[in-house]
Amino acid sequence: MELSLKIKMNEKLFLRNPEETELGRKIIQHGIVLIHKIGFEAFTFKKLAEKITTTESGIYRYFENKHRLLIYIVDWYWSWQEYRIIYHVYNVKNPEIKIKKTIQLLSAYVKDDMTTDYINEKLLYEIVMCEGAKSFLTKHVTEDNKAKLFKPYKDLCARIAGFIKEYNPKYKYPNTLASTIIEMAHSQKFYMQNLPSLTDFGGEKDEKKLVAFLEELVF
Amino acid sequence: MELSLKIKMNEKLFLRNPEETELGRKIIQHGIVLIHKIGFEAFTFKKLAEKITTTESGIYRYFENKHRLLIYIVDWYWSWQEYRIIYHVYNVKNPEIKIKKTIQLLSAYVKDDMTTDYINEKLLYEIVMCEGAKSFLTKHVTEDNKAKLFKPYKDLCARIAGFIKEYNPKYKYPNTLASTIIEMAHSQKFYMQNLPSLTDFGGEKDEKKLVAFLEELVF
DNA sequence: TTTAATAGATAGTAATACTATTATTAATAA
DNA sequence: TTATTAATAATAGTATTACTATCTATTAAA
C-alpha cells in the first residue's frame, strides 16, 4: 500500500479504473451497499446496474466479473486497515503497545469514517466479516495469488508479524500468529452476531472481551 | 452426534434420506468427489447427475439445493471429527493430554479411513478446508442456525471447550479458544497450501509446526 | 475537421437453478 | 386377478445469471 490517503489498487483487478470516473465510483459505492444488503451470492451486475441507472455491460467495462469487484473492495479494506494501524502506531516505540493498538483497531466496530467520500467503511467492514473469505476460497486462488490480488492482506499480516518480531525476536510463528489475530478479530465478530455459542461474548455489543481474549492469546 | 458409527444427520437437511437408497449414497459419494474436483461454485446438480447417470430432478428429490448438500457433508465431517476425538480420548483422565490429542487429530492430514464405505474422508477434509466456511457465510445463517443445521460444529466446539474448562476452570474464554483451535487448524492448513506467506510453515508437508503453534497458543 | 477513443443501449447466448408434467414401475386393496 | 393408488424416474420447460457482441451516440485529441 501507498502512504497516501488515496489507496493505489492493483491494476489487474479492473478493466478500467473505477476511481477515475463518476460511473466507476458509483459502482464501488453502490456495489458495497448492495453486497451488504443482499449478500454476495444474490448480488448481480444487473441488479447493481438498476440501482445506479446504467446497464450491465456498463459495469462489465470496469470489472471482469463480480468476484473481481469483491476482491477490489476487500483489498481496499485491508489497505485501509493497514493505513489506520500505521497512522495510530506512528512514533510509538514500544512493540507491546503497537500490538495492543493493532488488536483494538482490528476488533473495534468500524464506523463510516468520512475520510473517503464514496466508501462506507462500516458496511465494508461487515462485508469483509461475512464475505471476505470468499475472495480467496476459490479454485483459482493460486493464479489470483500470482497476480498479487491478495497483496494488501499479506502486507497487513507481514506488518503485524513485524511488531510481533520486535516484541519477541525469538518467537517462531510471527506470521501465523499475525494471521490468526486478523482472522479471529473478524470471524469471532461474525460468531458473536450469528452463532454466539461458538464464543464467550454472545450478543454483546462491545468488543472489550474479544480484545482481552486476543491480548491473552498474544502475551 | 450419536455414539454409533452411523452418524445421525439432521432431517431438515434433506428431503429424502440419502443413506437409505443406492442413489442417495451415490449422491453423497460422488458429490464429495465432484465438489472436491471442481469447487463448490462450479458444482451443479446437473454435472453430478451426469456422473452417476441419473437426472437433475433425481437429485432434487433428495436435496433442496446444493447448499443443503454442502451443509450435509460438512456436518457429517464435524460429527466424524467429534467421534474420532471421543474415541481417542476415551479413558484419558488428564485434560492436557485430551487437548493435545484433539489438536493433533484436527491438524493431521486426513486419510480415507475406510470405516465408512462410501465417504472419502480425505476429500471431505479438503472440502471442509476450502469450502467449509461457505456453509454458514450466507444471508440465511440465522434461519439455518435455528433449524440446528450447524449443531455438529457447535457440539464439537462445546466438547473441546469442555476439555479446556477441565484443564483450567477459571479460564474465561473456553468457547472462543475452542472455535479458534478448530478454525485455525483448518484455515492455516489452507494457507500452508495456497498462501504460504501468511504462515511460518509454508509448503511443509507435515503438520508438526502447526500442532506446536496451537499447543503454544493454548498452554 | 477528422479520427479515434469512450460510453451507452440493445440484443443475444449458454449455463444455472429450479419447477411442473408426464411416463413408468411397484405396492396394495377389491 | 384386476384395479387403484402411490412412489419414482425421466422429460420438458422457465426465469435468472453471467456473460458477449453489436450498433449508435458522445466526447476528446491530433
Side-chain angles (χ1 to χ4, degrees), chain A:
Chain A
M1 100 174 246
E2 311 260 309
L3 263 172
S4 66
L5 254 168
K6 192 161 189 171
I7 288 162
K8 193 173 185 306
M9 302 300 292
N10 185 333
E11 299 207 342
K12 282 174 190 147
L13 281 172
F14 47 77
L15 302 170
R16 83 182 335 256
N17 194 339
E19 284 173 298
E20 282 170 5
T21 66
E22 182 65 28
L23 179 59
R25 287 185 292 269
K26 266 187 173 176
I27 290 169
I28 302 302
Q29 181 180 5
H30 291 88
I32 289 169
V33 174
L34 194 57
I35 291 173
H36 180 268
K37 190 178 173 190
I38 65 177
F40 185 65
E41 270 69 48
F43 171 83
T44 69
F45 279 177
K46 198 177 183 185
K47 288 173 189 166
L48 177 57
E50 275 159 31
K51 294 271 175 188
I52 56 181
T53 48
T54 182
T55 54
E56 236 182 320
S57 58
I59 298 168
Y60 275 108
R61 239 176 275 119
Y62 286 83
F63 289 97
E64 235 178 293
N65 52 54
K66 69 175 185 171
H67 189 254
R68 286 293 163 109
L69 173 59
L70 179 69
I71 300 180
Y72 183 96
I73 63 174
V74 170
D75 271 5
W76 192 95
Y77 173 84
W78 294 123
S79 295
W80 175 74
Q81 282 285 20
E82 193 189 357
Y83 168 77
R84 290 211 307 164
I85 289 166
I86 292 167
Y87 183 87
H88 279 91
V89 141
Y90 190 73
N91 274 338
V92 175
K93 290 280 172 289
N94 185 339
E96 186 179 337
I97 296 173
K98 286 189 195 177
I99 296 170
K100 282 189 176 170
K101 194 74 217 168
T102 298
I103 289 173
Q104 266 163 39
L105 285 168
L106 292 175
S107 306
Y109 283 96
V110 169
K111 289 170 196 162
D112 186 11
D113 88 346
M114 303 297 171
T115 56
T116 46
D117 43 354
Y118 62 93
I119 292 180
N120 183 325
E121 284 83 5
K122 182 183 183 289
L123 300 184
L124 187 47
Y125 159 75
E126 289 177 0
I127 289 172
V128 171
M129 201 173 76
C130 301
E131 325 276 3
K134 293 172 192 168
S135 65
F136 57 81
L137 293 179
T138 65
K139 276 280 157 185
H140 45 87
V141 216
T142 307
E143 296 115 88
D144 288 356
N145 188 33
K146 271 181 197 142
K148 308 223 179 296
L149 304 193
F150 308 120
K151 193 171 180 295
Y153 188 77
K154 288 155 85 176
D155 284 353
L156 174 62
C157 182
R159 184 164 301 272
I160 297 170
F163 298 162
I164 295 167
K165 276 182 240 170
E166 277 178 58
Y167 177 74
N168 178 3
K170 284 177 190 159
Y171 183 65
K172 276 187 241 162
Y173 316 111
N175 291 291
T176 310
L177 186 58
S179 58
T180 299
I181 292 168
I182 302 170
E183 221 184 300
M184 286 303 110
H186 290 81
S187 81
Q188 292 292 329
K189 222 45 168 305
F190 178 85
Y191 294 153
M192 274 166 81
Q193 288 180 24
N194 301 290
L195 301 164
S197 68
L198 297 176
T199 74
D200 303 281
F201 354 95
E204 285 179 49
K205 262 153 215 145
D206 72 282
E207 65 279 348
K208 274 178 196 159
K209 283 192 180 174
L210 177 58
V211 170
F213 167 76
L214 289 172
E215 285 184 359
E216 269 191 43
L217 215 64
V218 177
F219 301 112

Side-chain angles (χ1 to χ4, degrees), chain B residues 4-96:
Chain B
S4 64
L5 254 167
K6 192 161 190 171
I7 288 161
K8 193 172 187 306
M9 302 298 294
N10 185 333
E11 299 206 342
K12 282 175 190 148
L13 281 172
F14 48 76
L15 302 171
R16 90 183 326 262
N17 194 338
E19 284 173 298
E20 280 169 7
T21 66
E22 183 65 30
L23 179 59
R25 287 184 294 268
K26 267 186 171 175
I27 291 169
I28 303 302
Q29 182 181 4
H30 291 89
I32 289 170
V33 174
L34 194 57
I35 291 172
H36 180 267
K37 190 178 173 189
I38 64 176
F40 185 65
E41 270 70 46
F43 171 82
T44 68
F45 280 176
K46 199 178 183 185
K47 288 174 190 166
L48 177 58
E50 276 160 30
K51 293 271 176 189
I52 55 180
T53 51
T54 184
T55 54
E56 234 183 324
S57 60
I59 299 168
Y60 274 107
R61 238 174 286 117
Y62 287 83
F63 289 98
E64 234 178 294
N65 52 55
K66 67 175 187 171
H67 189 254
R68 286 292 163 110
L69 173 58
L70 179 69
I71 300 180
Y72 183 96
I73 64 172
V74 169
D75 271 5
W76 193 95
Y77 173 83
W78 294 122
S79 294
W80 175 75
Q81 283 285 21
E82 194 189 357
Y83 168 77
R84 291 211 308 163
I85 290 166
I86 291 168
Y87 183 87
H88 279 91
V89 141
Y90 190 70
N91 273 337
V92 174
K93 291 278 171 292
N94 185 339
E96 185 179 337

Side-chain angles (χ1 to χ4, degrees), chain B residues 2-3 22 27 40 48 51 59-60 65 69 103 118 120 127 130 132 147 160 167 189 197 199 205 207:
Chain B
E2 311 259 309
L3 263 170
E22 183 65 30
I27 291 169
F40 185 65
L48 177 58
K51 293 271 176 189
I59 299 168
Y60 274 107
N65 52 55
L69 173 58
I103 289 173
Y118 62 92
N120 184 324
I127 289 172
C130 301
I160 298 170
Y167 179 75
K189 223 43 172 305
S197 69
T199 74
K205 262 152 216 146
E207 64 279 350

